[in-house]
């Protein structure tokens, strides 16, 4: 018992005791959908661009399919896969860059 009280006394002399009240966390403003979308688009503009390209190619492919132009429709569906791959790569690259920034 005597050794534990002496250890406690040494610990009290060497450093300040921890605060009794918890440190308050910073308060951030509420971010709406539009604000978050704009912020994320500025952080990684290639993802929305890839999504728009994918949507445009898909729409054009479906129109071609409806008109009976099967060759162009097949070409557009293949192009859609490439656009989706680009979008996924942009998303993955943005995640890697964000993770590396947070480590610094």
């Amino acid at each position: 018992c005597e050794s534990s009280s002496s250890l406690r006394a040494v610990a009290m002399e060497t450093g300040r005791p921890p605060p009794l009240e918890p440190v308050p966390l910073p308060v951030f403003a509420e971010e709406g959908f539009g604000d978050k979308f704009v912020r994320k688009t500025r952080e990684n503009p290639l993802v929305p661009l890839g999504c728009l390209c994918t949507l445009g190619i898909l729409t054009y492919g479906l129109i071609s399919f409806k008109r009976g132009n099967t060759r162009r429709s097949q070409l557009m569906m293949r192009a859609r896969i490439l656009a989706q791959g680009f979008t996924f790569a942009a998303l993955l690259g943005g995640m890697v860059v964000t993770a590396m920034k947070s480590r610094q």
Side-chain angles (χ1 to χ4, degrees), residues 38-101:
V38 169
R39 179 175 57 85
K40 292 286 187 179
T41 300
R42 285 185 182 147
E43 287 175 8
N44 193 356
L46 295 178
V47 173
L49 180 66
C51 289
L52 287 174
C53 287
T54 302
L55 181 65
I57 292 169
L58 175 65
T59 303
Y60 187 62
L62 289 173
I63 290 170
S64 297
F65 180 74
K66 186 175 180 183
R67 290 183 179 167
N69 191 346
T70 56
R71 184 168 172 82
R72 177 158 292 152
S73 175
Q74 283 293 315
L75 183 65
M76 289 298 107
M77 290 304 113
R78 291 180 185 145
R80 177 188 57 87
I81 297 298
L82 290 175
Q84 282 179 317
F86 171 79
T87 304
F88 182 73
L91 182 64
L92 201 58
M95 289 172 53
V96 168
V97 169
T98 302
M100 293 181 88
K101 280 183 183 178

